[in-house]
Amino acid sequence: MNFKEIRIIIILAAVSTLILLSANIQAQKKYPGISGLAAKAEVSTRLPNDVMPVIGAWFWGEDEFKPDGYKSFIDHAKTHSPYNLLTTSLRVAGKEITDTVVHNQVKLAVKYAKECGIQMAVDFDVRLARRAFEAEYPDELQEMLIIQEVVLSGSESVESVVHSLDLGDHMTGRTIHYIPLQGSLLRVYSYQMQTDGIDPKTLTEITNECTVVSESKDSVVVRIPANKQNGQTRACVMVSFTHLTPDVFAPHLIEFQRKIVLSYADIPMAGGMKDEWGFPPTKLPMNNKYWYSKYIAKAYAERTGGRELLADCLLMYLGIDGQENERQMAINHLIEMNWQRNGELEDDFYQTVKEVFGPQAAVVTHATWYAYFCEKEYRKNGLDWWAATRDWAQTDEYAPFAVRTSLAKKWNSPVWYNQYYSPEIENYQKELWSSALAGGRINYHPIYPNSTGSDGHVGLFRGKLMQGESRVRLLNYITQTPLNCPVAIVFGHQNLLNWAGADYDDPALMELVNEFWCNGIPADLIPSSEIEGKSLYIDKNGWISYGAQKYSAIVLYNPEFEKETTADFFNIASKGNTEMFRIGNWTKNFNSQVFNGNEILPENMDVPKSNFILLEEIKQILQEQKINTQSPATKLENHKSHPFITHPATGISHLIDGTIIQVAGTDNVEGDPIHSIIKVEGYDVFFDAIGVAAVRLNKLGEVQAMVAGGLKSFKSGIFEINLENRMDIALWIDGNGKWEGVIQGWKGNIPEQLLAITKNWGRLNIPAPLID
């Protein structure tokens, strides 16, 4: 290519990108991490703060509180990783986030990390200050209601011993658990059971007839008198244990949460962290256990017209003959109020962090806990994942890819982050490339479980993992929109979580989602509550949309217990462009009253007879709209009895704005060779690169952005680059319509061919592997 051709390309590209600039500027105003692209005054190993970051997780133990104890990991991260944001949390006994000694050590660590070019977002969760909360609000702690059945004797009294649970999770591993503090008897009922639940004619409260033998933090023992009239009559003992953690509905919880964040206002944080928030965790079946407090009972009564939560917990647990609709209604209300309250707390935390540390402050990490659909997650947070306000989509572990991508749409996040851990570093290497192909990045959790005897944090710095990450991170310079998912599956939020319904924890939902992904059709998974919340909307051109994503097809899945707003939404959408489908019937409304939902949904909402037919119809729709399939998910496995798919480490994917991404990392963590000719907007694009190759063209076929690891040559139309030595390169047209670029890991002079494109080149170093 001669210089005249290059000048022509630059002029045409500058003109053709004016349309994109307005949207880009608006994005820069809204999203932390993409407010502009790098100013390159000096060579660094880290991305600039206005590009989506590389995130590492850092958990503090006793060593970090020794004099200068924080320096060791920061020094390692500075030299051996590309991390520029550390999500930092306490995992230490005897200290709370409200302690002065913690504040002062965090202040020193943040200062030192900033000197090393690394920022920190610290965990301000109230669960890291449980003793402080207890001291200030002893009457606002979380209770667990346990209902225990006992068969009564016709001749003698019986005793029921109800034991408390010692609850713990990732936040309590090195410190005090969510221990029980006290137990108390709340109520005792006697009754007879029938096939469909309790016989309502026999249900009697007998609390005053019973004797509390003992009440302690460990157990409550209740003596129930003999039932001489019917030896088969049963009783249930309802006992509450108060635990060392704030009540989710505590009236002072938000105020206390804000005070923690404000107490760190003197420290130049990158932001704040709240991780896996919700009710205390339990891995035991929750069928006879309910989160309880007088504040929860009050909120429940207010939204149900005065119903009593304690009595309804018995109804929700065992059911009462002839009251199945009431049971389903009660469950719907309890589920919704719980996830909405958790969402309220998450949102207030988000707003507080922004108020204290500035509008560009990062709010990390994820609301997911078990990270997939299961009873444990339902009872902890009610699947509040879409209500937990963030700027960046964040999940963890085995969160379904369809959830990761839908959260990216919800929060207008160019990429999603999944906090990943494994006992084997090789698994991180696969996850790195698989995530990049699906539009995501890793938040690097230390090696876990870790049997090596060395620090799991720095263990990730050995080998070539961080060098592979350094190639992937170049995509952050040009990534403006998330993965293009032309199909949405909207599942009935209440229906999936209602354990008295026919579709509780329905495994067929994820099987359907996986079918789309395994056929090269990425599909977003969205709860129906996003309709009422107005996040799922109909754009001005009649497309059902979510964030920047418009959907060619949408599937309403098992809409039982939906509100009429769902029907209203789809009836309006029926006049637009998105093709609509329904799986499952809608026979009851939110209050479990008989409701002919099928009839009030639009007539043009198709009801396919099988998943196969549905998939084939949607394939035809996408073909007609000239939407290409992407590299299919190929790995299908069961994770704790739940089907889970992953993307391959090599393939091609498309972003919403038309960016095409190729990754190749199957055999080598630093990337495999890429020799490809692909069609982009109808034009041929050639790459000779290593690991990653991405390009965005405008409608005229002109290059707008390009990234390549180990680039040797690139050609699109008359835009051509041929290098003598391979280089990692990111190149884009900036907000002023001018070319800008970054070269990574190159120590020599910038080739004249690149300087002919732009003089505005920055340099980025690659971290050195840790060698013992």
Side-chain angles (χ1 to χ4, degrees):
M1 179 185 298
N2 59 44
F3 294 131
K4 181 178 180 182
E5 289 174 327
I6 292 173
R7 284 195 296 271
I8 292 172
I9 291 170
I10 294 173
I11 293 169
L12 289 174
V15 172
S16 63
T17 53
L18 289 175
I19 298 174
L20 296 174
L21 295 183
S22 177
N24 197 32
I25 291 168
Q26 292 303 313
Q28 292 168 5
K29 292 178 180 178
K30 181 172 177 60
Y31 312 130
I34 59 168
S35 59
L37 291 165
K40 307 180 193 66
E42 59 184 47
V43 179
S44 174
T45 308
R46 261 147 281 285
L47 294 173
N49 293 333
D50 49 10
V51 175
M52 297 292 282
V54 179
I55 304 178
W58 186 17
F59 302 108
W60 281 26
E62 291 291 347
D63 287 346
E64 278 72 21
F65 285 95
K66 295 175 182 177
D68 293 337
Y70 50 83
K71 287 187 175 180
S72 175
F73 174 69
I74 294 174
D75 288 341
H76 277 91
K78 174 185 177 182
T79 304
H80 304 295
S81 87
Y83 298 166
N84 59 323
L85 177 62
L86 298 176
T87 57
T88 309
S89 185
L90 303 184
R91 299 291 187 268
V92 61
K95 292 182 175 65
E96 295 196 326
I97 194 67
T98 50
D99 294 345
T100 301
V101 65
V102 174
H103 173 277
N104 292 344
Q105 194 75 344
V106 166
K107 187 171 186 176
L108 293 171
V110 169
K111 180 177 183 295
Y112 186 71
K114 285 179 71 69
E115 292 170 356
C116 296
I118 300 172
Q119 297 203 69
M120 290 171 55
V122 172
D123 194 342
F124 299 126
D125 198 298
V126 295
R127 291 169 295 179
L128 296 176
R130 288 176 286 130
R131 285 299 191 191
F133 186 88
E134 178 196 24
E136 195 163 350
Y137 306 110
D139 191 41
E140 297 185 19
L141 300 178
Q142 188 65 66
E143 300 174 42
M144 173 183 275
L145 176 69
I146 300 178
I147 305 174
Q148 184 160 297
E149 276 198 287
V150 59
V151 177
L152 298 181
S153 169
S155 59
E156 58 186 6
S157 62
V158 297
E159 287 189 355
S160 176
V161 182
V162 184
H163 294 280
S164 62
L165 299 178
D166 181 6
L167 306 176
D169 61 11
H170 64 299
M171 303 190 79
T172 63
R174 295 178 185 169
T175 189
I176 190 168
H177 289 192
Y178 309 112
I179 57 172
L181 300 174
Q182 64 183 53
S184 59
L185 174 67
L186 298 185
R187 191 167 297 172
V188 183
Y189 286 103
S190 66
Y191 48 86
Q192 293 181 21
M193 286 296 293
Q194 299 184 152
T195 304
D196 294 326
I198 294 170
D199 179 355
K201 297 189 296 294
T202 66
L203 182 61
T204 306
E205 184 186 346
I206 59 170
T207 311
N208 292 335
E209 301 172 29
C210 301
T211 302
V212 177
V213 178
S214 65
E215 289 180 328
S216 72
K217 64 181 180 61
D218 301 311
S219 65
V220 173
V221 181
V222 180
R223 183 177 296 120
I224 307 170
N227 186 342
K228 297 179 181 179
Q229 295 178 346
N230 187 339
Q232 296 303 311
T233 297
R234 300 177 180 231
C236 72
V237 177
M238 307 179 78
V239 169
S240 175
F241 289 100
T242 301
H243 287 262
L244 181 60
T245 192
D247 175 13
V248 169
F249 283 77
H252 290 96
L253 182 54
I254 286 179
E255 176 185 331
F256 188 82
Q257 179 174 264
R258 289 175 179 169
K259 286 188 336 190
I260 294 175
V261 180
L262 284 165
S263 70
Y264 282 78
D266 62 312
I267 303 176
M269 297 281 189
M273 171 177 166
K274 195 174 189 67
D275 181 57
E276 300 184 5
W277 170 255
F279 289 99
T282 176
K283 298 180 180 180
L284 296 174
M286 287 288 290
N287 56 332
N288 69 325
K289 304 174 188 70
Y290 298 83
W291 301 117
Y292 187 79
S293 72
K294 61 185 178 183
Y295 305 110
I296 298 177
K298 181 175 181 290
Y300 181 81
E302 288 174 350
R303 67 175 287 140
T304 59
R307 294 183 69 93
E308 189 201 33
L309 178 58
L310 201 58
D312 275 358
C313 283
L314 177 65
L315 170 66
M316 289 185 270
Y317 171 39
L318 294 174
I320 298 175
D321 188 24
Q323 299 181 29
E324 188 61 13
N325 288 348
E326 281 189 61
R327 183 186 184 209
Q328 292 172 340
M329 176 200 69
I331 294 170
N332 283 340
H333 279 283
L334 184 65
I335 289 169
E336 185 177 73
M337 72 177 235
N338 284 349
W339 75 253
Q340 287 180 348
R341 172 61 173 175
N342 280 315
E344 177 189 12
L345 294 167
E346 291 270 16
D347 184 70
D348 189 81
F349 180 80
Y350 173 92
Q351 302 299 339
T352 302
V353 168
K354 298 288 186 177
E355 291 168 8
V356 173
F357 299 110
Q360 295 300 309
V363 179
V364 292
T365 47
H366 47 274
T368 55
W369 176 46
Y370 254 62
Y372 52 85
F373 292 3
C374 66
E375 181 196 29
K376 301 174 185 67
E377 194 83 24
Y378 306 155
R379 293 297 188 96
K380 180 177 175 64
N381 55 46
L383 293 185
D384 71 335
W385 305 344
W386 291 264
T389 312
R390 299 289 190 272
D391 292 302
W392 307 329
Q394 296 168 79
T395 55
D396 72 323
E397 298 182 29
Y398 284 85
F401 278 75
V403 170
R404 305 180 197 187
T405 57
S406 75
L407 287 172
K409 316 302 167 52
K410 172 63 185 279
W411 303 122
N412 290 306
S413 176
V415 301
W416 49 259
Y417 290 94
N418 190 64
Q419 190 173 80
Y420 180 80
Y421 62 81
S422 171
E424 305 293 337
I425 196 168
E426 292 77 14
N427 292 335
Y428 289 86
Q429 296 169 1
K430 297 173 184 176
E431 185 75 8
L432 165 66
W433 294 102
S434 173
S435 297
L437 183 60
R441 309 288 184 266
I442 297 178
N443 175 345
Y444 288 91
H445 187 290
I447 294 171
Y448 179 83
N450 181 16
S451 59
T452 65
S454 62
D455 187 348
H457 292 87
V458 301
L460 295 175
F461 304 157
R462 298 183 177 91
K464 297 289 188 177
L465 175 63
M466 293 294 120
Q467 287 66 48
E469 169 62 45
S470 294
R471 279 215 162 115
V472 169
R473 69 175 173 174
L474 291 175
L475 291 170
N476 296 12
Y477 281 103
I478 72 165
T479 299
Q480 298 176 343
T481 58
L483 188 75
N484 186 31
C485 301
V487 176
I489 299 175
V490 178
F491 67 91
H493 195 162
Q494 298 303 131
N495 190 29
L496 184 69
L497 275 61
N498 192 312
W499 59 88
D503 304 310
Y504 176 62
D505 196 25
D506 179 15
L509 171 59
M510 287 311 306
E511 291 170 3
L512 175 64
V513 172
N514 292 343
E515 282 191 57
F516 278 97
W517 282 77
C518 289
N519 277 273
I521 304 172
D524 288 332
L525 187 58
I526 305 170
S528 58
S529 51
E530 289 294 273
I531 295 174
E532 186 177 23
K534 301 188 185 306
S535 292
L536 200 63
Y537 67 98
I538 302 162
D539 74 9
K540 63 181 181 181
N541 296 315
W543 295 98
I544 295 177
S545 302
Y546 199 45
Q549 180 75 63
K550 68 176 185 180
Y551 295 110
S552 299
I554 192 166
V555 181
L556 177 61
Y557 187 90
N558 282 348
E560 193 78 307
F561 305 131
E562 282 301 299
K563 300 175 183 178
E564 287 192 47
T565 50
T566 298
D568 295 340
F569 175 83
F570 283 106
N571 278 302
I572 295 172
S574 67
K575 301 177 180 63
N577 296 310
T578 302
E579 298 291 338
M580 299 182 297
F581 300 84
R582 171 172 60 83
I583 293 178
N585 292 315
W586 185 2
T587 66
K588 294 180 180 180
N589 64 14
F590 183 84
N591 286 322
S592 194
Q593 298 164 330
V594 175
F595 186 75
N596 198 356
N598 294 348
E599 294 298 321
I600 68 170
L601 286 168
E603 292 182 359
N604 62 346
M605 177 175 270
D606 191 11
V607 184
K609 294 181 178 179
S610 69
N611 287 359
F612 175 80
I613 293 174
L614 170 66
L615 189 60
E616 290 303 308
E617 289 187 22
I618 289 180
K619 283 181 180 178
Q620 182 64 34
I621 292 167
L622 298 182
Q623 185 176 351
E624 291 171 358
Q625 295 181 11
K626 295 182 171 51
I627 297 175
N628 296 324
T629 57
Q630 306 184 37
S631 292
T634 55
K635 185 179 179 182
L636 179 61
E637 61 184 34
N638 282 328
H639 179 66
K640 299 181 181 177
S641 301
H642 286 70
F644 178 77
I645 57 101
T646 62
H647 250 35
T650 297
I652 296 177
S653 59
H654 311 155
L655 305 186
I656 292 173
D657 65 359
T659 302
I660 304 297
I661 294 175
Q662 299 178 80
V663 302
T666 301
D667 299 320
N668 189 322
V669 68
E670 290 184 278
D672 301 327
I674 295 174
H675 299 280
S676 66
I677 299 177
I678 57 173
K679 285 282 187 185
V680 182
E681 300 286 353
Y683 299 93
D684 288 336
V685 175
F686 171 81
F687 274 107
D688 179 353
I690 296 174
V692 60
V695 65
R696 183 167 59 250
L697 307 182
N698 64 15
K699 297 298 181 182
L700 299 176
E702 298 159 341
V703 177
Q704 307 297 288
M706 184 271 287
V707 161
L711 180 67
K712 182 68 173 175
S713 58
F714 166 81
K715 187 176 190 305
S716 177
I718 61 173
F719 193 113
E720 186 171 358
I721 298 174
N722 292 288
L723 299 175
E724 182 177 348
N725 299 292
R726 292 189 178 274
M727 294 182 183
D728 292 350
I729 288 178
L731 182 65
W732 64 93
I733 296 175
D734 66 16
N736 296 314
K738 296 181 179 180
W739 284 103
E740 187 171 0
V742 167
I743 297 176
Q744 178 173 254
W746 180 251
K747 303 298 184 184
N749 294 328
I750 297 174
E752 287 298 323
Q753 188 177 149
L754 298 182
L755 290 173
I757 298 173
T758 180
K759 298 293 192 297
N760 195 13
W761 286 97
R763 294 178 184 264
L764 198 60
N765 288 334
I766 299 174
L770 174 63
I771 300 174
D772 292 325

